[in-house]
Amino acid sequence: MSSSTKDRILDAAECLFAQHGFEGTSLRAVTSEADVNLASVNYHFGNKIGLFQAIFERRVGHINDARLEQLDRLQSRGLPPSLEELLEAFVGPALRLTSREGEGFESFMRLVGRMSTVSGQHAEVIRDVFRDVQERFFPAFMQALPHLSAPEVFWRLHFLIGSMCSYLADPCRLELISQGHCRSDDPEESLRQLVAFAAGALRGPSALPHPTTPASKESHP
Amino acid sequence: MSSSTKDRILDAAECLFAQHGFEGTSLRAVTSEADVNLASVNYHFGNKIGLFQAIFERRVGHINDARLEQLDRLQSRGLPPSLEELLEAFVGPALRLTSREGEGFESFMRLVGRMSTVSGQHAEVIRDVFRDVQERFFPAFMQALPHLSAPEVFWRLHFLIGSMCSYLADPCRLELISQGHCRSDDPEESLRQLVAFAAGALRGPSALPHPTTPASKESHP
DNA sequence: CATCGGATCAAACGGTCGTATGAAACGGCC
DNA sequence: GGCCGTTTCATACGACCGTTTGATCCGATG
């Protein structure tokens, strides 16, 4: 047997969840793809959402560790990290592990991207799992972007995560809509494009020169 | 009767699809919410995916018309439109109609954002529906960004759409992760932040000085 | 060998799903 | 009133859903 039942279920499930979504994937499809008995899912993971959670627990450590390790390395030097270095540490592992760890990780990242737009309990699972990364990176970005206020940094990081997740959700879509102008099979090229995009986005001037009273005007012109 | 059966189904469906996704929403939930008979869906829309398509056909005309009309106005002047003007015309209607046309449109935009990360036939429905807008805006962006190659403009517009859709999918998430630092109830503020983000992102320097050949074949300083 | 606990199995449970059907209600028109 | 096309209705169909059950396998332990 090449791998354990548990792992085969996880592999099949993360692939199918990424393709068809959580509700769009039946446990029968998972166990059939994994070539295990239907009841194994409930035996090993309790229920369907337990399986969903286990998928994240298996993968998310690697990517978060890689991010934080890279951030540690940057911060252990004397001078504060540059914006590009921070971006590399934040989005690099997400894009690179995709190709280094085999197609399993690719499916997982597609799943992350896909689940980034849902709400409800699935969204909470994901938010919880990335919370500590966010809390470590946010102050670092704040320091690297002294021209932006805290809310503005939040806004832009939020948009940045949206860009990244949209790309992760389906890297091939760019090839489609660009009618072949863009290739998406090279993670280094993707990373370069995303970092360039994000660096410009974060470095751009503040949207409000003087963020005074938020509710100043009530008039309708 | 306040509105037709057809419209009541569409209203309920776009709200529920936005909340729970396509597979996560049953036709029984839709017809129950709309207070109509279950069989009405199949009578008026053929089947479930026909209903999905009808949701888009009802709304997407408004937003695309608003975008193209704004683009026409910009292009009918003598000088070519600025980057900020283009961005306003592209993302403005998507964000603004949300609040002007009532909560129906807000649900619809959430649905668009949510569906932006799926693949399969639903994705095709959405791509088809936004294709002409893309084909009108892309050359305009190309002209406004002479420092970028065509593939790079594709990359960045793709990332930009990801940012926008991520925001549309759940405007409240930003409030959550920023722990109240950011408000998401003012579409004008959101638009300002998104345009500032996107303008910086698109104006940023090219990622590759010579992006024509992907491999290291041809070096040309 | 016997035993025992974890792992796997086929089979079934009660529900819910999307869809189909045929009858009833409705409204304009002769 | 009588007719007819459109819309609404209650109901049913077969399929599939997530979950549970109890029997069976199997390797480690004594």
Side-chain angles (χ1 to χ4, degrees), chain B:
Chain B
M1 189 179 297
S2 64
S3 56
S4 73
T5 298
K6 225 167 161 174
D7 278 330
R8 284 220 308 286
I9 293 175
L10 288 171
D11 288 340
E14 83 182 344
C15 178
L16 292 173
F17 283 164
Q19 280 184 277
H20 308 110
F22 182 78
E23 283 91 359
T25 303
S26 70
L27 292 183
R28 282 170 176 83
V30 171
T31 54
S32 170
E33 171 83 15
D35 202 43
V36 303
N37 189 271
L38 169 62
S40 313
V41 172
N42 285 57
Y43 176 77
H44 285 287
F45 306 102
N47 51 24
K48 195 181 181 184
I49 197 137
L51 169 60
F52 181 78
Q53 211 150 352
I55 289 174
F56 278 78
E57 282 163 7
R58 181 175 67 153
R59 300 280 192 196
V60 94
H62 293 172
I63 171 174
N64 279 357
D65 287 352
R67 282 167 151 167
L68 293 177
E69 182 187 318
Q70 208 164 333
L71 180 60
D72 283 338
R73 214 174 322 129
L74 291 174
Q75 290 183 327
S76 67
R77 306 173 319 186
L79 65 171
S82 76
L83 179 57
E84 275 80 2
E85 288 171 328
L86 282 178
L87 286 171
E88 239 285 340
F90 187 66
V91 307
L95 267 64
R96 252 199 287 261
L97 282 174
T98 294
S99 63
R100 197 161 49 206
E101 297 267 332
E103 66 183 28
F105 225 100
E106 181 169 352
S107 287
F108 174 68
M109 293 316 299
R110 284 190 57 191
L111 178 61
V112 170
R114 190 178 175 134
M115 288 300 155
S116 70
T117 58
V118 310
S119 18
Q121 53 183 342
H122 307 85
E124 272 177 47
V125 168
I126 300 176
R127 254 200 303 279
D128 286 350
V129 120
F130 288 117
R131 178 158 299 146
D132 52 340
V133 165
Q134 181 203 317
E135 285 173 0
R136 278 289 311 276
F137 270 89
F138 179 75
F141 275 112
M142 276 293 286
Q143 195 178 355
L145 301 167
H147 66 298
L148 297 180
S149 66
E152 280 182 312
V153 173
F154 271 120
W155 274 103
R156 300 199 183 187
L157 288 181
H158 182 61
F159 290 139
L160 165 60
I161 291 169
S163 307
M164 183 178 64
C165 287
S166 151
Y167 171 76
L168 291 173
D170 188 4
C172 304
R173 185 174 340 131
L174 178 61
E175 272 183 69
L176 258 173
I177 68 171
S178 73
Q179 287 148 332
H181 280 80
C182 300
R183 301 281 297 281
S184 53
D185 49 5
D186 178 10
E188 289 303 324
E189 168 69 4
S190 310
L191 181 56
R192 201 161 38 232
Q193 294 292 344
L194 182 50
V195 167
F197 173 89
L202 295 178
R203 248 199 275 270
S206 167
L208 271 186
H210 29 274
T212 50
T213 54
S216 57
K217 269 231 184 125
E218 186 175 312
S219 206
H220 152 43

Side-chain angles (χ1 to χ4, degrees), chain A residues 127-197:
Chain A
R127 256 200 302 279
D128 285 350
V129 120
F130 289 117
R131 179 161 297 145
D132 51 341
V133 165
Q134 183 205 314
E135 285 173 1
R136 278 287 311 277
F137 270 89
F138 179 75
F141 274 112
M142 276 292 286
Q143 196 177 355
L145 300 167
H147 66 296
L148 297 181
S149 66
E152 279 181 313
V153 172
F154 271 120
W155 274 102
R156 298 200 185 186
L157 287 181
H158 181 60
F159 290 140
L160 166 59
I161 291 170
S163 307
M164 184 177 65
C165 287
S166 150
Y167 172 77
L168 291 173
D170 187 4
C172 304
R173 184 175 341 132
L174 178 61
E175 272 183 68
L176 260 172
I177 67 170
S178 73
Q179 286 149 333
H181 281 80
C182 299
R183 303 281 297 280
S184 53
D185 49 6
D186 179 11
E188 289 303 323
E189 168 71 4
S190 311
L191 180 56
R192 200 160 39 231
Q193 294 293 343
L194 182 51
V195 168
F197 173 89

